[in-house]
Amino acid sequence: MKRLIVTADDFGASIEINEAVERGHREGCLTAASLMVTGAGFDDAVERAWRLPRLGVGLHLVLVEGTPALAAARVPDLVASDGRFRTDMARMGADIFFRPHVRAQLSAEIAAQFDRFAATGLPLDHVNAHKHFHLHPTIAELVIEIGRRHGMKAVRAPIEPIAIVNAVEPARHDVTMKVADLWAKLLRRRLRRAGMIVPDQVFGLAWSGAVTASRLAGLIDRLPAGITEIYAHPGTTDDFPGHAPGYHYADEFAALIDPGVLGAVARSGAPLARFADLVPEAPRS
């Protein structure tokens, strides 16, 4: 059976993204959103989420290129001189793996972000991480350990079937992406052993920041069996404080509400879902 989850990442990063998430859900095919609990638009995002009971809101852990939930003095090895997370992911990843005191700071920060999400009172639909940093095995271990305490039941493992992407439109798939794919498959195995719901395939990597209506409709017309997650970065404009250079936020928002895309969803026969819709019901006593 086919199931389709359409997710917006970076919910809470800005008002422009939040507005696109709300409209993409009300007017289009968006079913889930991943919340940055330290984003500049966090409070506005939470307010909107409470108005959207069918939107599956999850935690978008930010451990790179963002602001920590804890004071910078409590995570000195994770942040740069400006108090924001470091951007040297490779070196930071080595520090996390080899230096126990850095792992302790990381654990505290991950717990703080889960706690801040829990304080919203919103049900935790899913978890993923900015820049998919949870591919790092130490981060994955901590996410599983801490997430379980917060009722985490679903996590993204970014495994993208490049043959389907190329059938829509040839896309970049370099050595770095191939290595990430191997790590993602290891992560999926680990998450499933931990009892988590994990999509069978994820689309959005090769076209990150450039998921146009034609590309989105092409993917939906070629949905494989199983659970598919397609993620995007919608916004009502491309230029706002904190935007990622080169990302076409407005195009991605337009894709979510495009009539051709909605027609592709109808043709696919795949029910639109949140992760919460896929959690088996507990047996009744």
Side-chain angles (χ1 to χ4, degrees):
M1 183 175 180
K2 298 178 182 179
R3 296 288 186 95
L4 176 60
I5 299 167
V6 183
T7 306
D9 281 359
D10 299 353
F11 188 36
S14 74
I15 301 299
E16 292 83 355
I17 289 176
N18 297 349
E19 182 179 354
V21 167
E22 180 168 1
R23 291 186 57 194
H25 179 64
R26 290 188 185 278
E27 304 170 27
C29 61
L30 189 70
T31 63
S34 303
L35 179 64
M36 286 179 157
V37 298
T38 62
F42 169 70
D43 290 335
D44 176 78
V46 172
E47 182 181 335
R48 292 175 192 266
W50 278 110
R51 298 200 299 260
L52 304 169
R54 285 295 302 168
L55 179 69
V57 181
L59 173 60
H60 195 51
L61 279 167
V62 178
L63 302 169
V64 63
E65 296 181 1
T67 304
L70 296 174
R74 293 188 58 187
V75 286
D77 293 285
L78 303 181
V79 298
S81 58
D82 61 359
R84 291 174 57 83
F85 285 119
R86 293 161 52 181
T87 58
D88 55 339
M89 290 178 68
R91 181 173 292 183
M92 185 176 173
D95 287 346
I96 288 167
F97 188 82
F98 289 110
R99 302 171 68 188
H101 72 280
V102 179
R103 289 198 298 276
Q105 294 173 31
L106 175 71
S107 178
E109 175 60 29
I110 291 174
Q113 292 192 31
F114 269 99
D115 287 342
R116 188 171 291 189
F117 186 98
T120 69
L122 294 166
L124 180 63
D125 184 72
H126 61 273
V127 175
N128 53 52
H130 193 51
K131 301 291 185 181
H132 293 129
F133 210 4
H134 63 309
L135 290 178
H136 189 294
T138 304
I139 297 175
E141 179 182 358
L142 290 171
V143 169
I144 292 170
E145 175 189 335
I146 297 167
R148 276 175 162 162
R149 301 201 296 262
H150 288 270
M152 181 181 77
K153 294 182 173 65
V155 185
R156 176 191 298 163
I159 301 168
E160 184 170 56
I162 194 62
I164 294 177
V165 173
N166 286 336
V168 178
E169 182 183 322
R172 177 182 66 87
H173 199 244
D174 57 21
V175 173
T176 301
M177 295 180 72
K178 291 177 181 178
V179 171
D181 186 68
L182 292 174
W183 282 108
K185 288 174 180 174
L186 291 172
L187 174 64
R188 180 173 65 184
R189 185 183 309 166
R190 186 174 191 176
L191 289 168
R192 286 180 172 167
R193 282 203 302 262
M196 299 295 144
I197 293 171
V198 187
D200 296 294
Q201 51 273 325
V202 174
F203 294 99
L205 285 79
W207 293 325
S208 187
V211 180
T212 62
S214 62
R215 289 170 172 172
L216 182 53
L219 291 173
I220 294 171
D221 279 334
R222 294 167 176 81
L223 284 184
I227 301 169
T228 298
E229 181 184 15
I230 302 176
Y231 73 92
H233 299 87
T236 54
T237 179
D238 293 340
D239 187 15
F240 54 86
H243 74 280
Y247 271 41
H248 301 283
Y249 295 91
D251 286 347
E252 297 212 355
F253 166 53
L256 295 175
I257 61 175
D258 183 82
V261 168
L262 300 182
V265 172
R267 287 194 303 274
S268 75
L272 286 169
R274 308 165 296 178
F275 283 96
D277 298 324
L278 309 180
V279 176
E281 290 187 10
R284 297 178 182 177
S285 57

